[in-house]
Amino acid sequence: MDFPFQPVEKFLLPIHGSDELFPVNQVYCVGRNYAAHAREMGVDDRKPPFFFTKPIYSITTGDVKYPPNTEDLQHEVELVLAVGEDMSIFGFTIGVDLTRRDLQGQAKKDGKPWFRGKSFVGSAPISRILPIKGFEELSDLELRLKVNGELRQSGSCADMIWPPQELLCEMAADVPLKQGDLIFTGTPEGVGKINTGDIIEASIVNKIELSFKII
Ligand code: MN
C-alpha cells in the first residue's frame, strides 16, 4: 500500500515473559473510581465514574520531561487493563496518570474539557504487560506509589467503585473497545505534587514495578 508519507509507528509495549510486543491502540482512563479519592478531590463520592482519553504520545516507558504550562504536576497510580481480542482481558500492568492539576482545576471551573490537564508527552508512564487468564486475578491487587522513597499512595483494587469486569461492560456500551486498548482504571487517595528530579516508583505489590524520573 502506498502512502503520501511514512505512517506514524504504533507504540509497542513489552510483554512479560514473551518476545511478543503489545501494540497500543487507544488509551482510556477512568475518573473517580475510588470513593476516598473522589472525596480528596472535593466531589461527591456517590457520583458514578466516567471516562476520558489520553493521546498515544502520553504513553512512555522512560523518564518524563516536566511538562510546560504547569506549576502543579501530580501523580495518580493506577491499575491498567490491557484489552485483547473480542474484548477479553489480555493482561494488566501498573501505570501513572500524570496530571497538570492546575490546568485541570481551571478547566473544571471554566466548564472546559480536561484535555490540557491530562494530555502531554509522557503523561502516561507504564510498565510491561503481564498476561493473565481471567478477571479473578485482578480482584485484590495492591497499588503503591513512592516519591523519592517516601510512600505517597497505597490502595487496594478491592476498593474500586467499578471493578475491572464492570468497567469493561460500561465502556463497551459506549465505545468500540479493541485489542490493544489500554484502560487506566482510576487512582486511590493520596495524589500529590511532584517536581523535576523526583524519582517515582509505582508498583502492584508482588506483581510488577515501574520506576521513572521527572527530568
Ligand atoms: Mn487518573
Side-chain angles (χ1 to χ4, degrees):
M1 195 178 285
D2 287 334
F3 301 101
F5 43 75
Q6 198 60 32
V8 175
E9 283 179 21
K10 282 253 178 204
F11 193 97
L12 305 170
L13 274 174
I15 298 172
H16 181 73
S18 168
D19 292 334
E20 293 179 333
L21 296 167
F22 183 89
V24 178
N25 187 40
Q26 305 285 348
V27 182
Y28 296 102
C29 301
V30 183
R32 206 186 288 149
N33 200 20
Y34 292 80
H37 172 61
R39 286 194 295 273
E40 80 177 346
M41 296 304 289
V43 286
D44 187 340
D45 63 21
R46 290 162 302 180
K47 283 193 177 161
F50 56 91
F51 305 110
F52 60 95
T53 61
K54 286 198 176 208
I56 294 293
Y57 59 70
S58 301
I59 293 288
T60 182
T61 53
D63 290 337
V64 177
K65 196 165 182 295
Y66 194 95
N69 304 315
T70 184
E71 286 170 12
D72 192 8
L73 178 64
Q74 295 203 1
H75 57 78
E76 298 186 357
V77 68
E78 309 198 3
L79 167 69
V80 181
L81 304 177
V83 179
E85 286 182 301
D86 302 321
M87 285 184 3
S88 60
I89 289 292
F90 174 84
F92 68 99
T93 189
I94 187 77
V96 181
D97 169 16
L98 291 175
T99 303
R100 293 190 281 200
R101 193 72 73 200
D102 43 1
L103 297 189
Q104 184 198 29
Q106 191 59 48
K108 283 180 186 174
K109 237 182 265 171
D110 296 345
K112 288 180 177 168
W114 288 10
F115 181 80
R116 293 185 69 226
K118 291 291 188 177
S119 304
F120 52 86
V121 173
S123 73
I126 190 169
S127 192
R128 64 195 187 281
I129 306 290
L130 282 178
I132 56 164
K133 298 218 164 54
F135 281 103
E136 61 279 359
E137 294 181 51
L138 301 170
S139 56
D140 52 5
L141 298 174
E142 295 286 326
L143 307 180
R144 301 277 187 277
L145 184 135
K146 291 179 184 177
V147 179
N148 302 325
E150 183 186 321
L151 186 65
R152 294 276 189 90
Q153 287 189 272
S154 174
S156 170
C157 293
D159 293 331
M160 285 180 167
I161 296 170
W162 283 347
Q165 191 153 18
E166 286 179 42
L167 265 185
L168 220 71
C169 289
E170 286 290 331
M171 291 197 71
D174 214 37
V175 301
L177 275 184
K178 294 283 187 204
Q179 61 270 32
D181 287 348
L182 296 174
I183 305 173
F184 282 65
T185 60
T187 192
E189 75 269 30
V191 301
K193 193 170 176 174
I194 46 180
N195 294 297
T196 304
D198 285 348
I199 306 279
I200 317 300
E201 293 168 284
S203 62
I204 299 175
V205 177
N206 295 328
K207 298 283 187 186
I208 193 153
E209 295 179 350
L210 165 69
S211 174
F212 61 92
K213 186 175 183 179
I214 306 295
I215 56 175

